């Protein structure tokens, strides 16, 4: 995987940190300190950043590349020169964006997987906690049932104790009555004493029974208190388990949120990567070929070629859409795209094989001629580019090799451009002796029969008044 970032941990004293990844512009190099973006740095050199203040001890430093995707580095127009440097820079921009998107996708996937693992662990812990809570609830319910049974037993024991006390009270009343009867029936003292003793024994037995019932009631009450304590402990345990389960659910929800955020980031990164991939895939690529004779024999629809030597493209029957007046040559490259519906290579654009020479930026540029257009020429168009004049060299047959050097100034009114015979031009005043004055000549001539008369005048301006008499079978020829 391509390197798009370098990380460090600050120590509170170091300010300069180097990195190894390539970049197009310094503005594409970004920095975060503990995930917070910062611009408090400068470039010490091409691969080293100098922070204004040394990052504190333990601070996570991330130096990374974030190539701009708002616009292409270079934009081309029909007929414009395409520099290899600009084209390479566009492809490098797309490559860097794709590398960064790929890195972000891998990072997002790793984060998402980690978050998912955390969520799965939390979910497992939550399931365990819920099981524990359910078990504690079951224990609490059992304790509550036991407590209810103990309370019922205690209530029964209390009822029995109450009944025993009533029985004891009744027995005591009976004993009292027996004592009274014994006292009253002195005559039957022995029998009364026996009856009294029996009643006392019964009373003692009733008291013992009552005491046993009280003890049973106290034991049942103690058991009920113990059961209540156990039940309260079980409820506390259940509450604690429920709290733990709630915390586990909260942790799980947080983990799910983190996973969802990571998934969103991953989706955004994938979208960015897809956009970069689409930008690369929609770029038109042309296969270079040397000349029209090398056109593919069995092309597919929308196949593209770049013909380096375009000689003859204007008359080639396999090519359509060539602009009117365009003539191919060895130094003009044309781009063609195959159209299977017409079985023709459709014209797309052209450019100079050496585009830099189009701008005459060299100290001794050459405007080349060809067999179709003749000698090399320069056209100076009007401001609307609808017409213009040409400065054209002599034909090949002249065998001309000379240099015309223009004057140092624009001359004076009435002066003419003259040469010294060696190609050095200057503005000079023309001698009046070389200027012919218009003349008026009167010609009177009689031409007889069977006569051929001819007149040849010099190269002068003539305003003649001619009177000619021509006989029969005669011919007059006037040559100027």
């Amino acid at each position: 995987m391509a390197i798009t970032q370098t990380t460090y941990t600050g120590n509170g004293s170091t300010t300069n940190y180097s990195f190894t990844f390539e970049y197009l512009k310094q503005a594409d190099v970004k920095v975060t300190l503990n995930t917070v973006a910062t611009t408090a740095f400068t470039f010490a050199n091409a691969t080293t950043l100098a922070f204004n203040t040394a990052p504190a001890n333990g601070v996570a430093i991330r130096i990374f590349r974030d190539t701009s995707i708002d616009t292409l580095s270079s934009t081309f127009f029909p007929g414009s020169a395409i520099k290899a440097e600009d084209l390479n820079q566009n492809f490098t921009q797309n490559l860097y964006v794709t590398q960064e998107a790929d890195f972000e996708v891998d990072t997002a996937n790793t984060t998402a997987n980690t978050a998912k693992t955390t969520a799965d662990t939390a979910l497992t812990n939550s399931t365990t906690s819920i099981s524990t809570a359910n078990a504690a609830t079951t224990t609490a319910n059992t304790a509550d049932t036991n407590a209810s049974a103990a309370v019922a037993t205690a209530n029964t024991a209390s009822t029995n104790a109450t009944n025993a006390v009533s029985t004891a009270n009744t027995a005591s009343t009976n004993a009292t009555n027996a004592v009274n009867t014994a006292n009253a029936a002195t005559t039957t003292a022995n029998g009364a004493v026996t009856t009294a003793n029996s009643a006392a024994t019964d009373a003692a037995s009733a008291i013992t029974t009552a005491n046993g019932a009280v003890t049973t009631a106290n034991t049942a009450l103690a058991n009920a208190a113990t059961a209540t304590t156990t039940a309260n402990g079980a409820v506390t345990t259940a509450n604690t388990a429920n709290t733990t389960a709630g915390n586990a659910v909260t942790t799980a929800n947080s983990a799910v949120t983190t996973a969802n955020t990571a998934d969103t980031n991953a989706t955004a990164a994938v979208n960015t990567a897809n956009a970069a991939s689409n930008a690369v895939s929609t770029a038109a690529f042309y296969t270079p070929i040397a000349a029209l004779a090398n056109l593919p024999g069995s092309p597919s629809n929308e196949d593209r070629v770049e013909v380096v030597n375009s000689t003859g493209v204007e008359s080639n029957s396999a090519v359509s859409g060539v602009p009117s007046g365009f003539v191919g040559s060895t130094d003009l490259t044309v781009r063609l795209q195959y159209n299977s519906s017409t079985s023709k290579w459709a014209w797309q654009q052209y450019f100079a094989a050496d585009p830099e020479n189009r701008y005459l930026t060299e100290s001794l540029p050459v405007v080349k001629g060809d067999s179709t257009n003749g000698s090399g020429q320069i056209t100076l168009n009007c401001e609307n580019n609808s017409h213009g004049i040409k400065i054209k060299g002599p034909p090949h047959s002249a065998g001309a090799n000379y240099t015309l050097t223009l004057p140092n100034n624009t001359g004076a009114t009435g002066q003419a451009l003259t040469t010294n015979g060696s190609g050095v031009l200057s503005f000079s005043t023309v001698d009046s002796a070389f200027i012919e004055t218009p003349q008026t000549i009167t010609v009177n001539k009689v031409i007889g029969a069977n006569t051929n008369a001819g007149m040849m005048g010099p190269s002068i301006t003539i305003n003649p008044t001619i009177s000619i008499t021509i006989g029969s079978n005669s011919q007059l020829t006037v040559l100027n």
Side-chain angles (χ1 to χ4, degrees):
M1 181 185 295
I3 298 175
T4 62
Q5 72 168 23
T6 303
T7 58
Y8 294 97
T9 300
N11 58 13
S13 60
T14 302
T15 57
N16 287 15
Y17 293 88
S18 62
F19 57 92
T20 57
F21 55 80
E22 297 178 311
Y23 57 91
L24 291 175
K25 298 180 294 185
Q26 288 186 348
D28 294 337
V29 179
K30 307 293 176 61
V31 176
T32 62
L33 301 178
N34 281 344
T35 71
V36 178
T38 180
T39 58
F41 61 86
T42 57
F43 279 79
N45 56 50
T47 58
T48 303
L49 298 185
F51 286 92
N52 298 348
T53 303
N57 188 40
V59 169
I61 305 169
R62 179 188 179 215
I63 304 173
F64 63 99
R65 185 183 67 218
D66 183 15
T67 305
S68 174
I69 60 174
D70 293 336
T71 58
L72 284 174
S73 296
S74 301
T75 302
F76 307 111
F77 302 94
S80 67
I82 300 179
K83 295 184 178 179
E85 177 186 2
D86 295 338
L87 194 59
N88 288 336
Q89 193 167 33
N90 275 6
F91 282 111
T92 301
Q93 181 186 25
N94 285 331
L95 174 63
Y96 283 175
V97 170
T98 302
Q99 289 174 347
E100 292 155 12
D102 184 57
F103 177 81
E104 292 296 334
V105 168
D106 286 344
T107 302
N109 285 339
T110 300
T111 302
N113 289 335
T114 301
K116 183 178 182 301
T117 300
T118 302
D120 290 342
T121 301
L123 183 61
T124 300
N125 293 339
S126 175
T127 301
T128 302
S129 297
I130 290 172
S131 297
T132 302
N134 289 338
T137 300
T138 300
T139 302
N141 290 337
T142 301
D144 183 63
T145 300
N146 293 338
S148 297
V151 169
T153 301
N155 290 335
T156 300
S158 177
T159 299
N160 292 337
T162 300
N163 292 335
V165 170
S166 297
T167 300
N169 290 334
T170 300
S172 176
T173 300
N174 291 337
T176 301
N177 290 334
V179 170
N180 291 333
T181 300
N183 291 331
T186 54
T187 54
T188 55
N190 292 332
V193 169
T194 301
T195 300
N197 288 338
S198 177
T201 300
D202 292 338
S205 177
I207 290 171
T208 299
T209 301
N211 289 336
V214 170
T215 300
T216 300
N218 289 335
T219 300
L221 186 60
N223 291 338
T226 301
T228 299
T229 300
T230 302
N232 289 337
V235 170
T236 300
T237 301
N239 290 336
T240 301
N242 186 55
T243 299
T244 301
N247 292 337
V249 170
T250 300
T251 302
N253 289 338
S254 176
V256 169
T257 299
T258 301
N260 289 337
T261 300
D263 182 66
T264 300
N265 293 338
T267 300
V270 168
N271 290 339
T272 301
N274 288 339
S277 177
N278 290 337
V280 173
S281 65
T282 55
F285 295 96
Y286 292 82
T287 302
I289 61 174
L292 291 170
N294 303 110
L295 284 172
S298 300
S300 299
N301 190 44
E302 295 189 354
D303 278 357
R304 301 180 181 91
V305 295
E306 191 173 271
V307 187
V308 177
N309 178 1
S310 61
T311 301
V313 69
E314 68 280 2
S315 59
N316 193 297
S317 60
V319 180
S320 65
V322 179
S324 176
F326 179 85
V327 177
S329 69
T330 58
D331 59 353
L332 291 178
T333 297
V334 299
R335 285 180 169 174
L336 308 175
Q337 179 173 301
Y338 189 72
N339 186 341
S340 60
S341 64
T342 62
S343 299
K344 298 281 188 180
W345 289 91
W347 170 279
Q348 300 299 308
Q349 66 181 113
Y350 83 97
F351 56 88
D354 187 359
E356 299 304 320
N357 283 340
R358 297 174 60 208
Y359 303 104
L360 302 181
T361 57
E362 298 180 359
S363 60
L364 296 173
V366 175
V367 179
K368 296 181 180 180
D370 56 47
S371 58
T372 301
N373 296 301
S375 304
Q377 55 189 302
I378 298 174
T379 301
L380 305 177
N381 277 355
C382 68
E383 66 275 14
N384 292 331
N385 292 303
S386 58
H387 56 269
I389 64 169
K390 294 182 175 64
I391 300 175
K392 187 174 183 179
H396 172 71
S397 59
N401 285 294
Y402 59 81
T403 301
L404 294 179
T405 304
L406 293 174
N408 295 334
N409 53 53
T410 58
T413 301
Q415 288 187 319
L417 193 63
T418 63
T419 177
N420 66 351
S422 298
V424 178
L425 305 180
S426 62
F427 288 101
S428 302
T429 301
V430 180
D431 193 320
S432 60
F434 295 100
I435 303 176
E436 295 192 21
T437 303
Q439 302 178 40
T440 300
I441 301 173
T442 301
V443 178
N444 294 300
K445 189 173 181 71
V446 177
I447 301 173
N450 299 314
T451 301
N452 291 328
M455 293 186 297
M456 179 179 294
S459 298
I460 59 176
T461 301
I462 300 176
N463 184 13
T465 299
I466 301 174
S467 175
I468 301 173
T469 301
I470 302 175
S472 61
N473 298 317
S474 296
Q475 178 178 347
L476 174 64
T477 302
V478 179
L479 301 176
N480 288 327

